[in-house]
Amino acid sequence: MEIYADSDRCILCHACVVACERVHGEARISVEAVRDRACVPVACHQCDAAPCAIVCPSGALAQEASTVAFDAEKCTRCGLCIIACPLGAVDLDTVSMIQRCDLCPDREVPVCVLTCPTEALILGDRFEETKEMRRRAALRIAQSHAVGRERA
Amino acid sequence: MADEKLVPTVCPYCALGCGFYIKLEEGGTGIEYMLDHPTNEGALCPKGNAALEILSHPDRLRFPLLRTEGGWKRISWDEALERLAEEIKKTIKVHGPGALGFLGSAKCTNEENYLFQKMARLLGSKNVDCCARRCHSPTIPALNRAFGAACMTNPISDLENSGCIFVIGSNFAENHPLVARWALRAKDRGAKIVVADPRLTPTTWLADLHLQINLGTDVALLNGMMNVIIEEGLYDRKFVGERTVGFEELEEKVRGFTPKRAADITGVSTGAIVRAARIYARSPASAIIYSMGITQHSHGTNNVSACADLALICGHLGRSGAGLYPLRGQNNVQGACDMGVLADFYPGSVSVNDAEGIRRIEEAWGATSLPIGMGMTAETMPVAAGDGNLRFLYVVGEDIVNSDSASSRGRKELANLDFMAVQEIFMTETAEMADLVLPAAAWAEKEGSYTSSERRVQWSPKAIEPPGEARSDLSTIVRLANLLGLPFDYAGPEEVLAEIGKMVKSYAGITRERAEGRGGVIWPCPFLDHPGTPILHRDEFCAPQGRARIVPVDYLPPDEERSLDYPLLLTTGRIGLHYNAGSMTRRSISLMKRAPELFVEVNPQDADRWGIVDGDLVEVKTRRGEVWARGRVTTRQEAGVIFMPFHFPQTNTITSDVIDPEARIPEFKVAACRIGKMKGV
């Protein structure tokens, strides 16, 4: 399971960021705007062969079935995981902990997904979710062809 | 988890009435999402997520404070209320009740607002108003004239069923983010979203068609669209014939508004105007969403009338997916208006000129001579204070100094009052000017009902204790009224709500128990077993013969235009991370760190011309004065227009104070200005 972001629905409201920060102390999701034209939320992808776990020399980050587990006691704060993550989704906070999305283990659905006003964030299995995203994309493209995606 | 308790609550920020739970646990409070709420389905915007931060804020007012020569002095509640009562009596004796002003709060409960205006009017003062004057006051006369009811016609979630959502003068993606949820659901089902906005905003990102119109040219666009719709025969003949009056006058009026003429005025292409008109008219059910971009103009009432006309000629009213959506601002602005905290209406929309209606209210209240006629509005009270006609002002939960237009003038005028009392949760800029400051409980620290933009009346229970000696506004008003000899005898807000039900027909069937149910009740709810009325005007309008009135209007340009001295136009608005005058969000750490300071958005062409680089401090000057803000160079506006949010005190010191002649709302949205790089920084 992982968090998917549909950039066509994101409205740059920052609800996910504020909610994540409220629950975790620091926000582990961020939302970036590009040229005032579009934006996309960025969070850990829970990679299958996670670069952060692969490079971790102390075994603090370790690949498990569908996620990466973190053991704070083993962490040496070396920061290799930060360099390795292609999304910049791993960070070190000022105290000692690695900050990385843990999908809110106490909850069925992470707070960022619950709070998202536009359902731009989706928790799901990647095959199911990509199918849904393809369906939406196809619908949009079909509509655009029908009416013309024109702007004044 | 056994020591955890969840108390349902209604979000204190905008008027969507989103629900969430306040989680009470050892060591503090938290938020839990309310997945079964009909409006927000658990989701919350950033402000909702940050709402609890203000409750425990160290700046909260804890004790009554009296201004003395040596600064603020803490006094007891008894002293404070006796002093307040004495000042009111003294003002009545010397200057008469007409010198008393009462500003209620669209953030307070229905019960508090009802008692506040009742107290003011029983004391003989007509001068009762609230901040609705600065947001949707044009909606009230315009929609009353058109439909006989000045409110949103359909629930937010019904947008899902629209085939076209036409947005004009609303940036809901930032200001009412949960509206975007339902608009996107409609889009998933094939709906088209058309947005008319001078700015490129996150709302326009969702649009299939964005009409980037010139500031204040809404009527030209709407008349141009209606011209196309009538010329091409796309209007709903049956609806127009059976349910409206005034079509012929409109036809005559818009005949001259050819797409060419509309395009010349609005600055968008004729093709785009024709396309927008066809999309809106042809869809099986189209909704119109509007907000401050329509109302905050010197011709705001005309703008609203034109929106209503468009909906009426296409018959997009009275059914699911259609409707007119004036998105309200404050959590209880609809309720405050329903309760008669308006200079032109008693509770239940009884006009202040309706002698017979007022006689019935007199009977119900056991009063003999309630004031008749228009009172001073939120805008005229400071002016009257400056002239010496208003001597005493009692402000509950409003930061008028920051939210009024051309506010540095208002500040001087308010200083001329004999006495000003402010009831607040924080020491706002308005409270700083008061003689007496009374500490109030915030929304989660008291109980009562709130009416959201979609007319949804919801009960919000008390979750935690207020700080220090802060009290609910209800108990303060009741105690003060008693000291003034008024027989206010209410055991609690539910008794007040019962009285409201007798005075306001649409609330007759709403009790505490019903409002406590998930999602409350949507008024009109005329009797106890009535299910509420999510969609208005299904069979007839609340107007003579049940027919709506089409009111043709002319295009009028904004009051201020570009000139040699002031070559740019300043427009103002909100951003997603802040709220109104900012007294709450500027005290919220998680919001402030993401939006810490006032900024001004400048188009790159204008930035080049005036030598401004992104991040510079920029001086913005209008005829009212000058302020500085952090420059942001962006193409969100076209060249010639700059934008500033009004959440920081500086902005409204320079906005225009020209008002709409009927609704008396200032033209916040257009002011001629010039800019320059700040010297010496």
Side-chain angles (χ1 to χ4, degrees):
Chain A
M1 297 289 260
E2 60 202 88
I3 295 166
Y4 279 90
D6 182 344
S7 61
D8 274 341
R9 296 179 100 82
C10 180
I11 53 171
L12 192 62
C13 78
H14 290 90
C16 53
V17 185
V18 174
C20 184
E21 181 178 270
R22 184 167 52 72
V23 172
H24 295 106
E26 295 220 9
R28 299 162 177 187
I29 186 166
S30 61
V31 50
E32 300 295 332
V34 183
R35 299 203 303 149
D36 295 324
R37 292 296 192 281
C39 63
V40 66
V42 181
C44 173
H45 261 216
Q46 315 292 343
C47 310
D48 274 346
C52 59
I54 293 169
V55 298
C56 181
S58 65
L61 286 165
Q63 187 82 48
E64 286 185 358
S66 62
T67 182
V68 173
F70 175 63
D71 183 348
E73 289 191 0
K74 289 188 186 161
C75 179
T76 62
R77 289 176 61 81
C78 71
L80 277 180
C81 50
I82 299 172
I83 298 167
C85 177
L87 295 173
V90 185
D91 208 350
L92 275 170
D93 74 4
T94 45
V95 191
S96 72
M97 292 286 283
I98 288 286
Q99 295 288 331
R100 200 191 123 266
C101 172
D102 58 4
L103 296 173
C104 295
D106 303 342
R107 300 168 164 274
E108 270 177 46
V109 180
V111 289
C112 57
V113 176
L114 284 174
T115 202
C116 179
T118 57
E119 302 170 286
L121 295 174
I122 308 145
L123 174 77
D125 174 81
R126 67 190 59 168
F127 298 109
E128 286 307 310
E129 291 313 323
T130 48
K131 206 187 289 170
E132 171 60 17
M133 288 162 93
R134 278 197 297 277
R135 192 192 67 78
R136 276 191 202 159
L139 186 67
R140 269 196 300 270
I141 293 164
Q143 280 161 18
S144 300
H145 277 286
V147 181
R149 195 185 170 101
E150 294 149 298
R151 283 171 203 277
Chain B
M1 300 290 230
D3 51 353
E4 193 181 283
K5 192 178 158 209
L6 294 177
V7 184
T9 196
V10 184
C11 181
Y13 281 109
C14 84
L16 293 189
C18 298
F20 63 90
Y21 294 103
I22 296 180
K23 184 164 65 179
L24 305 174
E25 53 197 346
E26 221 170 308
T29 53
I31 283 177
E32 200 47 67
Y33 300 97
M34 186 182 276
L35 301 179
D36 59 348
H37 192 279
T39 310
N40 62 314
E41 299 184 321
L44 289 177
C45 76
K47 294 187 287 281
N49 273 291
L52 303 187
E53 290 173 24
I54 57 150
L55 293 176
S56 51
H57 197 280
D59 284 358
R60 283 293 300 274
L61 292 167
R62 287 169 163 75
F63 309 101
L65 298 170
L66 182 70
R67 177 184 297 283
T68 66
E69 280 174 14
W72 292 112
K73 183 181 154 215
R74 176 180 163 181
I75 57 172
S76 73
W77 266 104
D78 285 344
E79 276 177 276
L81 290 174
E82 271 159 29
R83 177 67 194 273
L84 185 54
E86 189 187 304
E87 290 290 339
I88 292 175
K89 286 181 196 158
K90 197 169 79 189
T91 308
I92 295 177
K93 200 167 163 197
V94 180
H95 304 285
L100 299 173
F102 295 84
L103 278 176
S105 176
K107 295 218 83 64
C108 289
T109 64
N110 287 323
E111 295 74 23
E112 289 163 345
N113 275 300
Y114 174 78
L115 289 188
F116 186 72
Q117 61 82 34
K118 183 176 177 183
M119 171 174 74
R121 284 166 168 149
L122 285 174
L123 290 171
S125 175
K126 301 190 266 197
N127 310 324
V128 184
D129 213 27
C130 72
C131 72
R133 190 64 53 194
R134 294 191 194 90
C135 63
H136 270 291
S137 57
T139 297
I140 298 170
L143 294 194
N144 269 329
R145 203 157 34 222
F147 309 152
C151 45
M152 217 157 97
T153 60
N154 295 44
I156 308 277
S157 57
D158 191 43
L159 284 171
E160 185 179 25
N161 303 315
S162 298
C164 163
I165 299 174
F166 177 54
V167 187
I168 183 162
S170 161
N171 177 10
F172 62 72
E174 286 198 82
N175 306 324
H176 301 91
L178 262 302
V179 172
R181 184 187 197 85
W182 300 101
L184 280 163
R185 290 238 183 119
K187 208 175 168 182
D188 289 344
R189 296 166 66 167
K192 291 282 166 236
I193 300 180
V194 179
V195 181
D197 196 313
R199 299 178 63 224
L200 187 80
T201 66
T203 309
T204 64
W205 297 350
L206 311 179
D208 297 283
L209 180 63
H210 174 203
L211 308 167
Q212 197 162 8
I213 60 171
N214 292 329
L215 290 184
T217 59
D218 311 83
V219 168
L221 173 69
L222 291 160
N223 278 357
M225 286 171 65
M226 288 191 273
N227 174 294
V228 175
I229 290 167
I230 295 173
E231 289 294 319
E232 298 190 358
L234 298 175
Y235 65 99
D236 186 336
R237 282 189 177 76
K238 186 162 179 283
F239 188 93
V240 167
E242 290 172 3
R243 301 195 53 189
T244 69
V245 292
F247 179 75
E248 289 71 24
E249 289 87 337
L250 180 84
E251 197 178 11
E252 184 65 35
K253 176 77 78 187
V254 302
R255 190 166 293 142
F257 273 92
T258 57
K260 170 76 176 62
R261 185 173 164 209
D264 287 344
I265 299 172
T266 58
V268 298
S269 70
T270 51
I273 294 171
V274 171
R275 212 172 310 131
R278 288 178 185 159
I279 295 172
Y280 177 82
R282 282 179 183 161
S283 121
S286 301
I288 301 177
I289 296 178
Y290 75 85
S291 196
M292 309 293 89
I294 281 291
T295 58
Q296 289 181 336
H297 286 282
S298 55
H299 43 262
T301 311
N302 284 358
N303 288 351
V304 177
S305 288
C307 291
D309 292 344
L310 177 62
L312 283 170
I313 64 166
C314 295
H316 287 319
L317 283 163
R319 56 206 163 81
S320 177
L324 191 56
Y325 288 76
L327 291 179
R328 312 298 300 254
Q330 299 263 28
N331 55 342
N332 199 34
V333 64
Q334 181 66 52
C337 294
D338 299 339
M339 296 306 117
V341 185
L342 286 173
D344 28 14
F345 290 100
Y346 273 84
S349 296
V350 172
S351 161
V352 289
N353 298 315
D354 175 1
E356 175 54 29
I358 294 174
R359 200 194 50 74
R360 284 197 302 271
I361 295 173
E362 280 173 352
E363 235 164 64
W365 288 352
T368 48
S369 49
L370 289 175
I372 295 181
M374 182 77 177
M376 295 176 193
T377 65
E379 299 307 317
T380 48
M381 281 185 207
V383 179
D387 297 343
N389 294 326
L390 189 77
R391 312 306 292 237
F392 166 95
L393 184 59
Y394 182 12
V395 184
V396 176
E398 292 219 345
D399 190 3
I400 51 172
V401 166
N402 276 344
S403 52
D404 199 355
S405 65
S407 58
S408 31
R409 176 189 46 104
R411 203 181 270 264
K412 272 184 231 127
E413 290 163 344
L414 289 175
N416 201 34
L417 287 165
D418 292 343
F419 195 84
M420 177 158 81
V422 173
Q423 202 158 299
E424 254 301 347
I425 62 171
F426 290 119
M427 188 61 95
T428 59
E429 276 79 353
T430 308
E432 297 269 13
M433 293 193 62
D435 300 284
L436 179 70
V437 175
L438 299 171
W443 97 100
E445 300 157 353
K446 62 184 180 186
E447 56 177 356
S449 66
Y450 298 93
T451 307
S452 77
S453 193
E454 50 185 357
R455 296 172 277 112
R456 190 185 290 284
V457 183
Q458 302 182 89
W459 192 267
S460 181
K462 178 174 172 175
I464 58 169
E465 289 298 323
E469 292 177 6
R471 287 166 182 277
S472 75
D473 298 292
L474 191 91
S475 71
T476 304
I477 295 164
V478 168
R479 286 179 65 194
L480 175 66
N482 288 337
L483 283 176
L484 291 163
L486 303 176
F488 278 20
D489 181 20
Y490 302 95
E494 52 284 328
E495 281 191 27
V496 184
L497 183 59
E499 182 174 320
I500 292 169
K502 290 186 193 128
M503 307 298 300
V504 183
K505 251 185 281 168
S506 46
Y507 282 67
I510 301 178
T511 59
R512 174 182 176 150
E513 288 66 34
R514 293 200 65 192
E516 269 176 339
R518 179 70 72 245
V521 189
I522 296 184
W523 70 250
C525 177
F527 50 87
L528 204 55
D529 299 326
H530 192 282
T533 316
I535 298 177
L536 290 180
H537 318 310
R538 272 189 185 277
D539 303 314
E540 57 174 18
F541 291 93
C542 334
Q545 283 105 50
R547 279 163 171 260
R549 171 158 287 283
I550 295 172
V551 182
V553 290
D554 254 322
Y555 164 70
L556 293 168
D559 180 69
E560 291 198 349
E561 291 177 347
R562 294 183 183 93
S563 66
L564 231 50
D565 285 342
Y566 298 98
L568 299 172
L569 291 179
L570 164 70
T571 191
T572 65
R574 296 175 167 89
I575 60 170
L577 288 161
H578 276 291
Y579 185 70
N580 286 4
S583 61
M584 289 158 75
T585 51
R586 279 187 284 117
R587 288 181 172 86
S588 191
I589 297 165
S590 62
L591 302 174
M592 264 313 256
K593 74 185 197 197
R594 297 185 166 86
E597 59 178 358
L598 180 63
F599 60 84
V600 52
E601 291 182 350
V602 182
N603 181 281
Q605 283 181 38
D606 296 327
D608 276 353
R609 188 168 161 201
W610 280 282
I612 290 158
V613 178
D614 197 70
D616 275 350
L617 279 180
V618 176
E619 190 182 76
V620 183
K621 187 170 166 59
T622 72
R623 294 185 174 90
R624 270 70 53 193
E626 71 270 341
V627 299
W628 59 265
R630 184 72 61 189
R632 283 190 189 172
V633 177
T634 161
T635 51
R636 286 178 73 158
Q637 285 75 232
E638 289 182 329
V641 177
I642 65 168
F643 168 83
M644 285 167 83
F646 54 67
H647 312 294
F648 294 84
Q650 295 92 324
T651 307
N652 272 331
T653 61
I654 61 169
T655 45
S656 165
D657 53 355
V658 174
I659 56 172
D660 176 282
E662 187 170 5
R664 317 197 69 78
I665 190 169
E667 188 153 68
F668 288 102
K669 289 292 186 234
V670 191
C673 70
R674 63 172 182 250
I675 55 171
K677 190 173 166 150
M678 271 281 276
K679 303 275 175 347
V681 285

